[in-house]
Amino acid sequence: MSGRTAAVCTAGLVMLLGAAACGQSDSASGTRIAACQTPQLAWKMTLLPGKPHNTPTATLSAAHKGSKPCAFDGYPELSVYVGKGPSADSKPKKSTPVHLVLKPGHSIAIPVFYDAIGSPSGSCEVMAEYNPRVDVRPPHPVAHDYGSHVQLTDEKGHHLRAQVCDLDMLLGAPQLH
């Protein structure tokens, strides 16, 4: 009898730890936390000054404007494009798992690595002169969640035109702020 009880307790503990590790369960109430969706998030992208080696070019951030916590599990989809023409998309810099719970009023910041200047003799994939669009979708969007338009700004909030001289933008691990 005690072997069966131990097995049942072990199985229950494994399920509880698995749910907590994924950031999908509120252990206090046992309720499932839904994935963050576009209507809950206010996005912005800030171009950082200078470009020392191995530092992010910009920071993508999202403020949670909803009324309930949401799960931010994974990396968002970031895209810079000119109509049906040239584009640059994002992918994680490292395949580090992301399991965060974003509470109302809090924010998340994601470093974005890409070449915004290019070489003097070369051209860029997405040129600023064409006024490209920047869009972002949260990790695990539901059907018909087409994401949000994001305006690129400098640190003082002045609007800038995006320019990407790479095919891909690399995203660092999201961090709670």
Side-chain angles (χ1 to χ4, degrees), residues 10-30:
T10 301
L13 181 60
V14 167
M15 289 176 63
L16 179 62
L17 290 175
C22 291
Q24 296 292 318
S25 176
D26 180 354
S27 59
S29 65

Side-chain angles (χ1 to χ4, degrees), residues 123-145:
S123 66
C124 296
E125 285 297 314
V126 183
M127 300 290 290
E129 65 191 60
Y130 298 116
N131 197 21
R133 183 175 171 98
V134 181
D135 286 340
V136 65
R137 288 178 50 172
H140 310 293
V142 294
H144 307 295
D145 184 346

Side-chain angles (χ1 to χ4, degrees), residues 113-125:
F113 300 84
Y114 65 97
D115 181 4
I117 299 168
S119 68
S121 62
S123 66
C124 296
E125 285 297 314

Side-chain angles (χ1 to χ4, degrees), residues 40-60:
Q40 296 169 292
L41 302 171
W43 293 94
K44 72 179 191 174
M45 188 166 162
T46 307
L47 191 65
L48 301 173
K51 183 71 172 106
H53 185 64
N54 284 336
T55 61
T57 304
T59 300
L60 177 66

Side-chain angles (χ1 to χ4, degrees), residues 34-146:
C36 296
Q37 299 300 314
T38 295
Q40 296 169 292
L41 302 171
W43 293 94
K44 72 179 191 174
M45 188 166 162
T46 307
L47 191 65
L48 301 173
K51 183 71 172 106
H53 185 64
N54 284 336
T55 61
T57 304
T59 300
L60 177 66
S61 60
H64 184 356
K65 59 184 183 177
S67 60
K68 295 180 181 177
C70 63
F72 200 94
D73 291 337
Y75 293 82
E77 297 173 20
L78 179 64
S79 182
V80 178
Y81 61 95
V82 178
K84 293 182 180 181
S87 66
D89 297 310
S90 66
K91 63 182 183 181
K93 188 172 181 177
K94 295 180 181 177
S95 59
T96 306
V98 175
H99 305 293
L100 302 171
V101 173
L102 190 55
K103 295 179 181 178
H106 292 125
S107 62
I108 195 163
I110 303 154
V112 185
F113 300 84
Y114 65 97
D115 181 4
I117 299 168
S119 68
S121 62
S123 66
C124 296
E125 285 297 314
V126 183
M127 300 290 290
E129 65 191 60
Y130 298 116
N131 197 21
R133 183 175 171 98
V134 181
D135 286 340
V136 65
R137 288 178 50 172
H140 310 293
V142 294
H144 307 295
D145 184 346
Y146 300 111

